């Protein structure tokens, strides 16, 4: 039984409040002794004209509050709160049985069935290195895609490539002036980066040189927009070479996309967008450019066409939204793009709304913070001081391998080099992903090797190790011929056992909250709590050598439930597991 859902139903009947409102108000008490769920009565004070504690006391005796529970739920009050306490044995049986039936798909629901959700993430610029700055959008977007998929939505993963714009006029110019074909064949991204950096270095030589290069670059981009064969051929080559490199990184991280329509895809649709805005009398001239004014919304004008007649990000994004709604009739259109682009998306959505497209309300910008290292190194392709993501992942797996090898040596060298390499890849990549997802997405991230790879901290290595520890226990049970059954899990009522049960029960709500708030950390926080509770239980309890077969079986089934939940949660975060460490 879903006890929270039934409690919400009963409270809705007793209070007259909408069930959805009640669900949003139900809390989990800070201490187990206060119960399993709590309802604050403050919201009823104004309507009933009574003090919240008085309302709580009057409601607690209503037979409707415990309807459908067959005596498994008791009710009491604590000040303004109505507290609901579920029989520990009953809840243990319910939760563990549900998890064992669902396996590592625990947390799945069908609430999004028949609804299309577009999630745009990663979106690197072609002809530029995939650096650690791109990892935030890539990892966050992948996790949100996993979460929405698990909730039954039809997720379409968009990689809106940065494959258009004036920078390609610069790149075409740089290639013609300084390109090395042999270097292009050997390492295209490095060569394209080199000449792009050189373009900007040359612009610093003198104002005259800068004007000369910028004029040529603008002309080359104009030719590209007009479909000139030579410019299009160069651009196409840059794009294809870049995608080959990007795909290797995505494959390594276990990330797939359904759509690679970049900015260039929408170029041919922009005239239609401009005409639509003209027909609706929304376009105005401003210093030679064409804009949509948003003064009534306290927003600056949205630039649609620049003074030289070329397009800009906003015009391409407007075309993209219209295409996506026409093609997919989306329930949500989610952009996982950094916080600095917040104003841009407000303008784009506002223009759509002004133009009469109500689906603008279904477009969501999911912003995130900055990535920083201890030396506060910035990331700029123009300056050339970047940290490539693949190199960073390599370094992480190397450091992880060192730790795992030392631990293996302490156990007498029970892992081969091949096993260490495989485990280090999973744990190392998981450590990177978890670092981005363990806190609210709008917070800046400060990378620290020691913190990230701490096997006892709030890290992926700790969670993966906990999973591997449980699998080791289950293998030992199997080796001993123990075939545990779940008949006795209702005896899991001791404090340490129940703390694990309680945190497992809350996992499903964490998944829904993560989707509603676009915050995967709701899941990372919950599985971290589950792991901490389990390890406390593990350190204080005997499992295989219990006093009774019933207790042994119950605890083994609890281990199995925890392993399934950890695997489910880590999978939603885009993190793998290993059976042995």
């Amino acid at each position: 039984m879903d006890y929270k859902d039934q409690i919400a139903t009963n409270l809705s009947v007793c209070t007259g409040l909408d069930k959805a409102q009640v669900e949003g108000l139900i809390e989990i008490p800070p201490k187990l002794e206060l119960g399993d769920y709590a309802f604050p009565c403050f919201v009823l004070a104004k309507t009933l004209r009574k003090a919240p504690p008085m309302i709580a006391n009057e409601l607690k005796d209503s037979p409707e509050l415990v309807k459908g529970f067959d005596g498994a739920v008791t009710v009491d009050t604590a000040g303004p709160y109505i507290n609901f306490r579920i029989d520990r044995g009953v809840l243990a049986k319910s939760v563990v049985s549900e998890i064992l039936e669902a396996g590592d798909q625990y947390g799945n629901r069908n609430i999004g069935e028949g609804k299309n959700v577009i999630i745009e993430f990663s979106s690197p610029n072609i002809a530029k290195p995939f650096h650690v700055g791109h990892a935030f959008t890539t990892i966050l977007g992948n996790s949100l895609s996993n979460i929405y998929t698990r909730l039954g939505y039809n997720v379409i993963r968009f990689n809106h490539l940065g494959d258009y714009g004036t920078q390609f006029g610069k790149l075409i110019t740089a290639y013609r002036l300084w390109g090395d074909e042999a270097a292009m064949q050997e390492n295209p991204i490095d060569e394209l980066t080199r000449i792009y950096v050189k373009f900007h270095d040359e612009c610093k030589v003198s104002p005259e040189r800068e004007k000369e290069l910028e004029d040529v670059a603008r002309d080359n981009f104009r030719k590209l927009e007009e479909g000139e064969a030579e410019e299009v051929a160069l651009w196409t080559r840059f794009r294809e070479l870049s995608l080959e490199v990007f795909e290797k990184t995505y494959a390594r991280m276990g990330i797939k996309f359904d759509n690679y329509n970049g900015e260039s895809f929408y170029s041919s649709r922009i005239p239609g967008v401009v005409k639509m805005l003209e027909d609706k009398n929304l376009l105005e001239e401003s210093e030679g450019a064409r804009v949509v004014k948003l003064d009534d919304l306290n927003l600056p004008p949205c630039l649609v066409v620049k003074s030289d007649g070329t397009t800009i990000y906003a015009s391409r994004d407007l075309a993209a939204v219209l295409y996506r709604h026409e093609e997919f009739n989306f329930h949500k259109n989610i952009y996982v793009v950094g916080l600095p682009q917040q104003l841009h998306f407000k303008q784009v959505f506002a223009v759509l709304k002004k133009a009469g497209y109500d689906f603008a309300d279904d477009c969501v910008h999911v912003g995130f913070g900055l990535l920083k290292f201890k030396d506060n190194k910035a990331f700029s392709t123009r300056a050339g001081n970047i940290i490539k993501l693949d190199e960073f992942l390599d370094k992480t797996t190397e450091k992880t391998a060192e730790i795992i090898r030392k631990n293996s040596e302490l156990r007498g060298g029970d892992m081969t080099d091949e096993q260490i390499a495989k485990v280090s890849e999973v744990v190392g990549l998981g450590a990177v992903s978890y670092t981005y997802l363990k806190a609210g997405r709008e917070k800046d991230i400060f990378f620290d090797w020691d913190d990230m790879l701490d096997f006892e901290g709030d890290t992926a290595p700790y969670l993966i190790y906990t999973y591997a520890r449980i699998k080791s226990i289950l293998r030992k049970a199997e080796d001993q011929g123990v075939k545990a059954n779940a008949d006795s899990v209702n005896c899991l009522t001791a404090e340490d056992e129940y703390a694990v049960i309680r945190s497992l029960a809350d996992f499903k709500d964490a998944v829904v909250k993560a989707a509603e708030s676009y915050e995967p950390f709701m899941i990372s926080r919950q599985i971290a709590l589950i792991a901490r509770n389990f390890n406390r239980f593990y350190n204080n309890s005997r499992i295989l050598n219990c006093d009774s077969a019933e207790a042994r079986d119950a605890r083994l089934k609890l281990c199995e439930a925890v392993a399934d939940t950890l695997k489910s949660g880590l999978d939603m975060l885009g993190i793998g597991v290993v059976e042995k460490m």
Side-chain angles (χ1 to χ4, degrees):
M1 174 184 287
D2 188 332
Y3 285 94
K4 182 181 178 182
D5 181 77
Q6 187 61 47
I7 288 170
T9 298
N10 293 351
L11 278 167
S12 178
V13 172
C14 292
T15 64
L17 296 174
D18 180 73
K19 182 181 175 182
Q21 184 182 4
V22 172
E23 287 176 335
L25 291 169
I26 291 176
E27 302 174 7
I28 297 173
K31 297 179 181 179
L32 283 177
E33 57 264 28
L34 293 175
D36 297 292
Y37 295 105
F39 178 76
C41 293
F42 302 103
V43 68
L44 301 170
K46 186 174 181 180
T47 305
L48 299 179
R49 298 176 182 245
K50 295 180 181 178
M54 184 181 296
I55 297 171
N57 276 314
E58 290 178 357
L59 285 174
K60 77 168 184 176
D61 296 323
S62 170
E64 291 291 335
L65 277 186
V66 291
K67 185 176 180 180
F69 291 126
D70 295 327
V73 175
T74 55
V75 180
D76 59 20
T77 62
Y81 288 89
I82 302 174
N83 290 336
F84 297 82
R85 182 173 285 101
I86 305 168
D87 179 272
R88 290 188 173 190
V90 171
L91 185 62
K93 182 85 172 175
S94 173
V95 171
V96 174
S97 298
E98 182 180 358
I99 297 172
L100 295 180
E101 182 178 351
D104 58 16
Q105 299 301 298
Y106 178 56
N108 289 15
R109 296 193 184 183
N110 293 319
I111 59 178
E113 189 172 4
K115 297 176 181 176
N116 291 335
V117 171
I118 292 173
I119 302 183
E120 176 191 309
F121 63 102
S122 197
S123 307
N125 293 319
I126 67 169
K128 293 183 180 180
F130 200 111
H131 59 70
V132 292
H134 294 125
F136 210 151
T137 168
T138 305
I139 291 167
L140 175 58
N142 182 55
S143 179
L144 289 173
S145 299
N146 294 340
I147 293 165
Y148 273 90
T149 298
R150 292 290 206 95
L151 291 176
Y153 292 91
N154 178 38
V155 176
I156 305 108
R157 300 167 179 235
F158 266 68
N159 195 334
H160 186 77
L161 295 170
D163 62 359
Y164 220 55
T166 55
Q167 69 267 30
F168 291 99
K170 297 176 182 179
L171 196 60
I172 290 169
T173 303
Y175 178 77
R176 286 171 171 164
L177 290 172
W178 308 295
D180 182 329
E181 186 55 32
M184 276 285 287
Q185 295 288 342
E186 184 176 347
N187 196 325
I189 298 293
D190 281 358
E191 174 61 9
L192 292 171
T193 301
R194 181 189 71 81
I195 61 175
Y196 188 73
V197 171
K198 184 169 179 60
F199 180 95
H200 289 280
D201 287 342
E202 284 287 319
C203 285
K204 297 174 184 176
V205 171
S206 68
E208 293 77 19
R209 181 61 168 160
E210 180 181 16
K211 183 179 185 306
E212 174 192 354
L213 289 172
E214 292 284 359
D215 286 347
V216 174
R218 273 192 293 272
D219 188 53
N220 282 332
F221 179 58
R222 178 187 59 77
K223 291 177 181 177
L224 178 62
E225 284 208 298
E226 293 173 357
E228 292 288 339
E230 191 174 333
E231 283 70 24
V232 170
L234 280 174
W235 170 84
T236 301
R237 188 177 181 217
F238 297 159
R239 189 181 192 275
E240 290 176 350
L241 289 170
S242 299
L243 272 177
E244 287 179 13
V245 176
F246 295 159
E247 280 288 3
K248 292 177 182 177
T249 301
Y250 292 136
R252 183 179 186 184
M253 299 176 74
I255 295 172
K256 294 182 180 179
F257 291 93
D258 301 300
N259 190 297
Y260 276 99
N261 289 345
E263 294 179 60
S264 62
F265 176 83
Y266 305 102
S267 181
S268 63
R269 298 172 179 272
I270 292 176
V273 172
V274 173
K275 184 177 186 309
M276 176 272 291
L277 294 174
E278 286 174 339
D279 291 345
K280 297 189 177 188
N281 298 314
L282 292 175
L283 271 186
E284 298 184 30
E285 296 286 334
S286 177
E287 299 180 2
R290 308 189 74 186
V291 304
V292 175
K293 290 191 174 178
L294 302 169
D295 298 3
D296 55 324
L297 299 172
N298 294 318
L299 293 171
C302 180
L303 177 61
V304 177
V305 181
K306 294 194 289 187
S307 57
D308 62 3
T310 56
T311 57
I312 195 168
Y313 293 118
S315 43
R316 293 191 281 274
D317 274 334
L318 287 167
V321 178
L322 293 171
Y323 165 80
R324 292 175 185 181
H325 190 265
E326 178 185 340
E327 190 73 14
F328 299 101
N329 189 28
F330 55 75
H331 171 70
K332 284 181 184 288
N333 178 32
I334 300 170
Y335 298 82
V336 184
V337 182
L339 283 172
Q341 296 301 314
Q342 192 170 32
L343 174 60
H344 164 77
F345 285 108
K346 283 183 179 179
Q347 290 175 304
V348 169
F349 302 159
V351 171
L352 286 169
K353 192 75 171 175
K354 262 185 174 294
Y357 297 108
D358 289 339
F359 54 77
D361 295 332
D362 302 321
C363 296
V364 182
H365 171 222
V366 175
F368 52 84
L370 299 174
L371 170 69
K372 299 177 182 179
F373 284 80
K374 285 185 175 180
D375 58 2
N376 287 320
K377 181 178 286 187
F379 303 104
S380 167
T381 307
R382 182 178 301 182
N385 58 336
I386 59 171
I387 299 175
K388 295 179 183 177
L389 180 58
D390 275 329
E391 293 177 358
F392 182 66
L393 295 178
D394 288 342
K395 190 69 174 177
T396 306
T397 55
E398 286 173 16
K399 287 181 174 289
T400 306
E402 291 173 9
I403 298 170
I404 293 174
R405 183 172 287 106
K406 287 179 182 177
N407 290 338
S408 174
E409 289 171 354
L410 290 174
R411 298 191 301 265
D414 59 350
M415 295 180 71
T416 65
D417 289 343
E418 183 179 359
Q419 289 173 326
I420 290 171
K422 287 182 179 179
V423 170
S424 299
E425 179 77 359
V426 173
V427 176
L429 266 59
V432 173
S433 294
Y434 191 81
T435 300
Y436 284 97
L437 301 175
K438 72 176 184 178
R441 55 182 164 77
E442 294 191 356
K443 294 182 179 179
D444 291 345
I445 292 174
F446 289 85
F447 262 114
D448 180 272
W449 292 111
D450 293 335
D451 289 345
M452 197 169 78
L453 298 175
D454 184 355
F455 278 65
E456 296 181 358
D458 183 13
T459 65
Y462 172 74
L463 294 172
I464 298 172
Y465 177 73
T466 301
Y467 175 86
R469 167 182 274 176
I470 295 171
K471 299 304 282 188
S472 175
I473 295 168
L474 296 175
R475 283 194 300 273
K476 287 179 181 177
E478 186 177 352
D479 291 343
Q480 293 176 16
V482 176
K483 294 183 179 179
N485 63 66
D487 293 343
S488 61
V489 294
N490 57 353
C491 73
L492 296 169
T493 58
E495 289 299 313
D496 287 342
E497 294 167 338
Y498 194 68
V500 180
I501 296 292
R502 181 67 265 169
S503 54
L504 289 171
D506 295 333
F507 176 76
K508 292 192 302 181
D509 278 349
V511 176
V512 175
K513 289 177 182 176
E516 291 175 344
S517 60
Y518 314 104
E519 287 281 18
F521 99 93
M522 297 281 189
I523 293 173
S524 64
R525 181 176 64 183
Q526 191 63 33
I527 59 175
L529 175 62
I530 291 169
R532 287 196 302 274
N533 285 342
F534 172 80
N535 283 311
R536 188 180 304 113
F537 153 73
Y538 172 82
N539 290 325
N540 294 335
S541 309
R542 290 184 296 175
I543 298 176
L544 287 174
N545 299 315
C546 283
D547 294 332
S548 70
E550 283 188 346
R552 178 202 63 198
D553 284 5
R555 289 176 179 179
L556 283 171
K557 286 302 177 183
L558 179 59
C559 288
E560 192 176 332
V562 171
D564 284 340
T565 307
L566 290 178
K567 187 175 182 182
S568 179
L570 287 168
D571 180 70
M572 292 184 200
L573 301 179
I575 297 172
V577 295
V578 297
E579 301 291 308
K580 180 181 179 181
M581 284 180 69

Short mmCIF file of all heavy atoms in Angstrom, two decimals, residues 1 3 66-75 85-88 90:
data_model
loop_
_atom_site.label_atom_id
_atom_site.label_comp_id
_atom_site.label_asym_id
_atom_site.label_seq_id
_atom_site.Cartn_x
_atom_site.Cartn_y
_atom_site.Cartn_z
N MET A 1 0.84 -1.21 0.00
CA MET A 1 0.00 0.00 0.00
C MET A 1 0.87 1.25 0.00
O MET A 1 1.90 1.31 0.66
CB MET A 1 -0.91 0.01 1.24
CG MET A 1 -1.71 1.31 1.40
SD MET A 1 -2.68 1.39 2.91
CE MET A 1 -3.99 0.24 2.54
N TYR A 3 1.13 4.30 1.62
CA TYR A 3 0.55 4.87 2.84
C TYR A 3 0.42 6.39 2.76
O TYR A 3 -0.57 6.97 3.22
CB TYR A 3 1.38 4.47 4.07
CG TYR A 3 1.14 3.03 4.46
CD1 TYR A 3 1.96 2.02 3.99
CD2 TYR A 3 0.07 2.68 5.27
CE1 TYR A 3 1.73 0.69 4.33
CE2 TYR A 3 -0.19 1.36 5.62
CZ TYR A 3 0.65 0.36 5.14
OH TYR A 3 0.41 -0.94 5.47
N VAL A 66 -8.02 7.28 9.69
CA VAL A 66 -7.37 5.96 9.66
C VAL A 66 -8.15 4.97 8.80
O VAL A 66 -7.92 3.76 8.86
CB VAL A 66 -7.20 5.41 11.09
CG1 VAL A 66 -6.18 6.22 11.86
CG2 VAL A 66 -8.53 5.38 11.83
N LYS A 67 -9.05 5.49 7.98
CA LYS A 67 -9.86 4.63 7.13
C LYS A 67 -8.98 3.88 6.11
O LYS A 67 -8.11 4.47 5.48
CB LYS A 67 -10.90 5.46 6.38
CG LYS A 67 -11.88 4.63 5.57
CD LYS A 67 -12.94 5.52 4.94
CE LYS A 67 -13.93 4.70 4.13
NZ LYS A 67 -14.98 5.55 3.50
N GLY A 68 -9.21 2.58 5.99
CA GLY A 68 -8.50 1.78 5.00
C GLY A 68 -7.18 1.21 5.46
O GLY A 68 -6.49 0.54 4.69
N PHE A 69 -6.79 1.46 6.72
CA PHE A 69 -5.49 1.00 7.19
C PHE A 69 -5.55 -0.28 8.03
O PHE A 69 -4.51 -0.83 8.40
CB PHE A 69 -4.81 2.10 8.02
CG PHE A 69 -4.39 3.29 7.20
CD1 PHE A 69 -4.78 4.58 7.55
CD2 PHE A 69 -3.60 3.13 6.08
CE1 PHE A 69 -4.40 5.69 6.81
CE2 PHE A 69 -3.20 4.23 5.32
CZ PHE A 69 -3.61 5.51 5.68
N ASP A 70 -6.74 -0.71 8.38
CA ASP A 70 -6.90 -1.95 9.16
C ASP A 70 -6.05 -1.97 10.42
O ASP A 70 -5.42 -2.98 10.77
CB ASP A 70 -6.56 -3.17 8.30
CG ASP A 70 -7.52 -3.35 7.14
OD1 ASP A 70 -8.71 -3.01 7.30
OD2 ASP A 70 -7.09 -3.81 6.07
N GLY A 71 -5.99 -0.83 11.11
CA GLY A 71 -5.27 -0.75 12.37
C GLY A 71 -3.77 -0.60 12.26
O GLY A 71 -3.06 -0.56 13.27
N ALA A 72 -3.26 -0.46 11.01
CA ALA A 72 -1.80 -0.37 10.83
C ALA A 72 -1.27 1.04 11.05
O ALA A 72 -0.06 1.24 11.13
CB ALA A 72 -1.41 -0.84 9.43
N VAL A 73 -2.18 2.02 11.16
CA VAL A 73 -1.76 3.41 11.32
C VAL A 73 -2.42 4.00 12.56
O VAL A 73 -3.63 3.85 12.76
CB VAL A 73 -2.13 4.26 10.09
CG1 VAL A 73 -1.81 5.73 10.31
CG2 VAL A 73 -1.39 3.75 8.85
N THR A 74 -1.61 4.67 13.37
CA THR A 74 -2.14 5.38 14.54
C THR A 74 -1.85 6.87 14.37
O THR A 74 -0.93 7.27 13.66
CB THR A 74 -1.50 4.89 15.85
OG1 THR A 74 -0.07 5.00 15.74
CG2 THR A 74 -1.87 3.43 16.11
N VAL A 75 -2.69 7.67 15.06
CA VAL A 75 -2.60 9.12 14.89
C VAL A 75 -2.46 9.78 16.25
O VAL A 75 -3.11 9.41 17.22
CB VAL A 75 -3.88 9.67 14.20
CG1 VAL A 75 -3.78 11.18 14.02
CG2 VAL A 75 -4.10 8.98 12.85
N ARG A 85 1.65 7.44 12.46
CA ARG A 85 2.67 6.42 12.73
C ARG A 85 2.20 5.08 12.15
O ARG A 85 1.12 4.59 12.50
CB ARG A 85 2.92 6.30 14.23
CG ARG A 85 4.00 5.30 14.60
CD ARG A 85 4.32 5.34 16.09
NE ARG A 85 5.11 6.52 16.44
CZ ARG A 85 4.59 7.62 17.00
NH1 ARG A 85 3.31 7.70 17.27
NH2 ARG A 85 5.37 8.64 17.29
N ILE A 86 3.01 4.52 11.25
CA ILE A 86 2.66 3.24 10.62
C ILE A 86 3.31 2.12 11.41
O ILE A 86 4.46 2.22 11.83
CB ILE A 86 3.16 3.22 9.16
CG1 ILE A 86 2.61 4.43 8.39
CG2 ILE A 86 2.74 1.92 8.47
CD1 ILE A 86 3.28 4.64 7.05
N ASP A 87 2.58 1.04 11.61
CA ASP A 87 3.14 -0.13 12.28
C ASP A 87 4.43 -0.54 11.56
O ASP A 87 4.44 -0.75 10.35
CB ASP A 87 2.13 -1.28 12.26
CG ASP A 87 2.67 -2.53 12.92
OD1 ASP A 87 3.31 -3.33 12.21
OD2 ASP A 87 2.46 -2.69 14.13
N ARG A 88 5.51 -0.64 12.31
CA ARG A 88 6.82 -0.88 11.70
C ARG A 88 6.88 -2.18 10.91
O ARG A 88 7.42 -2.23 9.80
CB ARG A 88 7.91 -0.86 12.77
CG ARG A 88 8.16 0.52 13.35
CD ARG A 88 9.36 0.54 14.26
NE ARG A 88 9.70 1.90 14.67
CZ ARG A 88 10.80 2.24 15.31
NH1 ARG A 88 11.67 1.29 15.66
NH2 ARG A 88 11.04 3.49 15.64
N VAL A 90 4.41 -3.80 9.53
CA VAL A 90 3.55 -3.70 8.35
C VAL A 90 4.26 -2.91 7.24
O VAL A 90 4.25 -3.30 6.07
CB VAL A 90 2.20 -3.05 8.70
CG1 VAL A 90 1.40 -2.74 7.44
CG2 VAL A 90 1.40 -3.95 9.63
#
